[in-house]
Amino acid sequence: MSTYSIAVIGGDGVGPEVTAQALKAVRAAADRFGFGVDTHDYDLGGVRYLETGEVLPDAVEAELAGHDAILLGAVGTPEVPPGVLERGLLLRLRFGFDLYVNLRPVKLLPGVTSPIAGLSPDRCDLLVVRENTEGLYAGAGGFLYKGTQAEVATQESLNTRRGVERVVRYALDRAGQRRGRLSLCHKTNVLTYAGDLWQRTVDELAAERPDIEVDYVHVDAACLYLVQSPERFDVVVTDNLFGDIITDLGAAVQGGLGLAASGNLNPDGQTPSMFEPVHGSAPDIAGKGWANPVAAVLSAALCLAHLGQDKAAAALEHACGRVLPELGATAGPDMGYSTAQIGDRIATLVAEPS
């Protein structure tokens, strides 16, 4: 029996609450499908930073590297300045562990009402493959004359052939496993250097995959199509910034951030991949049992799929698709169901034979 070592970073706010429900579902799947899960909790996030001044000690990063995967809840507290946790924890793990693929499904589940009028689940099922370690998030840039009327700020987008090629290859492979269509999303008419590198790389690699239909869409047009006709997309590959933006729009289309999952992947398995719901720590509702745990459960499903437990991953997604029509898409006082109750129901459905 395979046993997987999973590092758990509950984090701040509602992070520990939703992560606990995801772990219930994972353990139910492990019992049903015959694999083991060893979890190891790590106290990282805004609270730790405020208490100790530490974000991610080197020794802790080294420990995390020894696990098979990482489940993250959410990090952030109002008292911590913007950028401290994002760069010191999230981006440090992405860069340090070379998690070069950010994978975000955009799928409308049964029973969920999309804010897009008339949208049905069969029209919304796509994957966004976002390059996760380069672009504008690489941290290149600086200030001149900061704090004066002559201040200049630069932020540089770094794109390498290696970085673009490996994420495009991954996206082509995922398209081959799905409906065989790949869309490059960029802004080649304005970003003529980075866009040219992306377009040439896609064109060259697509020539090796005649089984994949490849097209191009400007990022601004992609925002329009995601709302009007999401069914035109199967797999979308894009850079770091554009991927960050369009996937939040995708989350809205699929019913909200409480249903949006993500994975930060090292597809080669040389380091542990990290899985997290897209939503934030929501400190205003922390401890009230109102947080929707579905995004965390779906992120755990991505984790299980990455570890090779495809049947278990499918069971988690199927359970979420059943529980939403039963209990409603959100927890909270108006729904009558708490975070834990929704998590319990999902775990029960995961444990049931098909």
Side-chain angles (χ1 to χ4, degrees):
M1 181 178 72
S2 298
T3 298
Y4 303 102
S5 176
I6 298 179
V8 179
I9 305 172
D12 304 308
V14 301
E17 300 173 46
V18 297
T19 303
Q21 309 315 311
L23 288 173
K24 286 181 186 177
V26 168
R27 292 188 177 106
D31 290 342
R32 176 180 167 186
F33 294 101
F35 60 91
V37 175
D38 288 335
T39 60
H40 305 265
D41 293 321
Y42 287 87
D43 174 25
L44 297 171
V47 173
R48 175 170 181 156
Y49 173 76
L50 292 171
E51 290 178 350
T52 68
E54 296 178 318
V55 178
L56 179 60
D58 293 343
V60 175
E61 182 178 5
E63 284 187 33
L64 292 173
H67 295 284
D68 295 311
I70 302 168
L71 286 183
L72 172 70
V75 294
T77 63
E79 299 83 4
V80 178
V84 172
L85 299 176
E86 292 84 355
R87 287 216 162 269
L89 178 57
L90 301 179
L91 293 184
R92 179 173 171 181
L93 287 174
R94 290 178 186 178
F95 296 159
F97 288 171
D98 199 21
L99 308 180
Y100 63 87
V101 169
N102 184 281
L103 184 67
R104 292 197 183 182
V106 178
K107 185 173 184 178
L108 183 59
L109 295 174
V112 176
T113 301
S114 170
I116 308 307
L119 187 64
S120 58
D122 63 320
R123 292 183 56 205
C124 182
D125 181 5
L126 60 123
L127 287 178
V128 178
V129 177
R130 163 188 167 193
E131 200 291 317
N132 210 29
T133 60
E134 296 188 348
L136 281 164
Y137 290 26
F143 292 101
L144 288 174
Y145 314 116
K146 187 175 182 181
T148 74
Q149 289 298 310
E151 181 170 349
V152 177
T154 62
Q155 197 81 41
E156 300 173 45
S157 177
L158 302 182
N159 301 265
T160 68
R161 171 65 191 221
R162 172 178 176 268
V164 175
E165 180 172 334
R166 63 184 183 174
V167 78
V168 171
R169 286 193 184 279
Y170 178 86
L172 284 165
D173 287 343
R174 293 306 299 254
Q177 297 162 7
R178 287 170 52 92
R179 301 190 299 275
R181 291 188 284 116
L182 177 70
S183 300
L184 169 62
C185 176
H186 211 281
K187 192 68 175 172
T188 56
N189 58 335
V190 176
L191 304 178
T192 53
Y193 302 123
D196 182 70
L197 172 59
W198 276 85
Q199 186 68 72
R200 282 186 290 108
T201 303
V202 168
D203 290 345
E204 291 171 21
L205 297 183
E208 303 173 6
R209 295 295 304 266
D211 56 316
I212 308 298
E213 178 185 343
V214 177
D215 67 358
Y216 171 83
V217 60
H218 288 322
V219 63
D220 45 349
C223 292
L224 178 71
Y225 298 142
L226 277 171
V227 172
Q228 290 189 336
S229 53
E231 65 273 14
R232 73 171 283 156
F233 296 117
D234 179 18
V235 176
V236 176
V237 65
T238 189
D239 82 348
N240 212 334
L241 177 63
F242 294 150
D244 197 1
I245 294 170
I246 66 173
T247 51
D248 273 15
L249 176 58
V253 169
Q254 74 182 101
L257 287 176
L259 305 174
S262 76
N264 301 275
L265 310 181
N266 181 288
D268 305 324
Q270 297 175 348
T271 56
S273 294
M274 180 169 66
F275 303 85
E276 57 182 312
V278 175
H279 63 69
S281 60
D284 56 323
I285 63 169
K288 296 181 179 180
W290 297 356
N292 187 344
V294 168
V297 176
L298 292 174
S299 298
L302 292 176
C303 176
L304 292 176
H306 180 71
L307 294 173
Q309 294 294 336
D310 293 333
K311 291 182 179 179
L316 264 65
E317 183 174 334
H318 181 67
C320 290
R322 287 183 59 187
V323 79
L324 291 171
E326 291 180 7
L327 303 181
T330 58
D334 297 332
M335 300 302 300
Y337 301 101
S338 69
T339 304
Q341 287 172 322
I342 294 178
D344 287 341
R345 180 61 178 148
I346 290 173
T348 298
L349 292 171
V350 169
E352 290 180 355
S354 301

